[in-house]
Amino acid sequence: MKEATEIRITSDRLRTRVAELAAMIEKDIAGGEAVLVANLKGSVIFFSDLIRGIRRTDLPIDFVSARSYEGTRSSGDIAITRDLNLDVRGKTVVLVEDILDTGLTLSALIRYIKEKHRPSIIKVCVLLDKPSRRKTEVRVDYSGFEVGNEFLVGYGLDFEEHYRNLPDIRVLPATERPNF
Ligand code: IMP
Ligand code: MG
């Protein structure tokens, strides 16, 4: 496997933007009961930086894991491989995702959490938004960076489980991922 050498978003820019997102979330959820939820695994690095930017200390965290079935219809069928453990009924859920691509995973995940867990509201926070690939509309409350149609790795994002621990976000050369 070759190196992903071209840096798209530096760790400095990530730090600054993640702090801004944390401040926005903190302001919006002020006073209410909220649970911070990460969709595993790509969002873990982002999530751990994001939550440390929020000063309130009464915010439970939880995890879900969902992936879309590849090649199925655009309704976005997903498999929930890890469900919430905490009771979020009537509370605000802040759902944190690494990247919004086609939107199929996130739209189905939001629908699932609403129907199964009945929070009062779901706020959606994505680090990256790739609008050119969208197949279904997803309403996002907080978005870190808009990116182009290229495959990105690092800061939690993987290609076949590699590159997650890079401290910045880089471009995976097309030669390394021919089917994208
Ligand atoms: P979608 O929005 O349902 O197409 O899927 C989003 C998921 O696809 C993300 O949570 C990532 O796991 C993965 N993904 C999409 N684009 C990229 C990328 O550029 N790099 C790494 N993973 C990606
Ligand atoms: Mg992935």
Side-chain angles (χ1 to χ4, degrees):
M1 192 167 280
K2 280 212 224 85
E3 287 303 293
T5 49
E6 191 190 346
I7 297 176
R8 181 59 73 241
I9 307 174
T10 63
S11 47
D12 270 357
R13 284 181 69 207
L14 286 166
R15 195 176 311 113
T16 305
R17 186 63 182 143
V18 172
E20 288 171 358
L21 295 174
M24 286 188 249
I25 292 170
E26 181 173 307
K27 189 161 161 265
D28 287 354
I29 64 175
E33 256 199 294
V35 179
L36 309 172
V37 176
N39 183 25
L40 300 171
K41 291 184 285 192
S43 68
V44 285
I45 313 279
F46 172 43
F47 188 69
S48 63
D49 283 342
L50 184 74
I51 65 176
R52 284 179 294 175
I54 299 174
R55 286 161 302 179
R56 261 176 77 174
T57 52
D58 60 348
L59 296 171
I61 66 170
D62 206 349
F63 302 95
V64 289
S65 183
R67 60 185 163 67
S68 40
Y69 293 116
E70 257 156 56
T72 51
R73 61 207 167 87
S74 62
S75 64
D77 290 339
I78 50 166
I80 303 286
T81 52
R82 202 277 188 197
D83 206 342
L84 292 177
N85 281 337
L86 297 178
D87 181 10
V88 302
R89 183 175 286 261
K91 300 175 186 165
T92 298
V93 163
V94 181
L95 179 62
V96 180
E97 173 70 308
D98 54 355
I99 181 165
L100 178 55
D101 188 37
T102 63
L104 296 178
T105 311
L106 206 48
S107 61
L109 180 60
I110 292 165
R111 197 181 326 124
Y112 174 82
I113 293 175
K114 277 185 181 160
E115 286 168 8
K116 168 115 191 268
H117 296 287
R118 303 276 167 198
S120 61
I121 188 169
I122 301 189
K123 299 254 183 204
V124 179
C125 176
V126 300
L127 178 65
L128 306 176
D129 179 7
K130 221 188 247 183
S132 60
R133 301 248 311 162
R134 200 80 81 251
K135 288 184 184 161
T136 184
E137 202 193 313
V138 181
R139 194 190 49 76
V140 165
D141 300 278
Y142 316 97
S143 170
F145 301 90
E146 196 167 294
V147 296
N149 188 10
E150 52 192 2
F151 198 83
L152 302 170
V153 293
Y155 199 67
L157 294 155
D158 75 308
F159 172 62
E160 296 182 347
E161 294 297 332
H162 289 231
Y163 306 109
R164 287 198 200 273
N165 60 322
L166 286 172
D168 39 34
I169 291 183
R170 302 187 188 200
V171 183
L172 190 73
T175 49
E176 297 295 298
R177 197 181 188 282
N179 296 327
F180 182 66

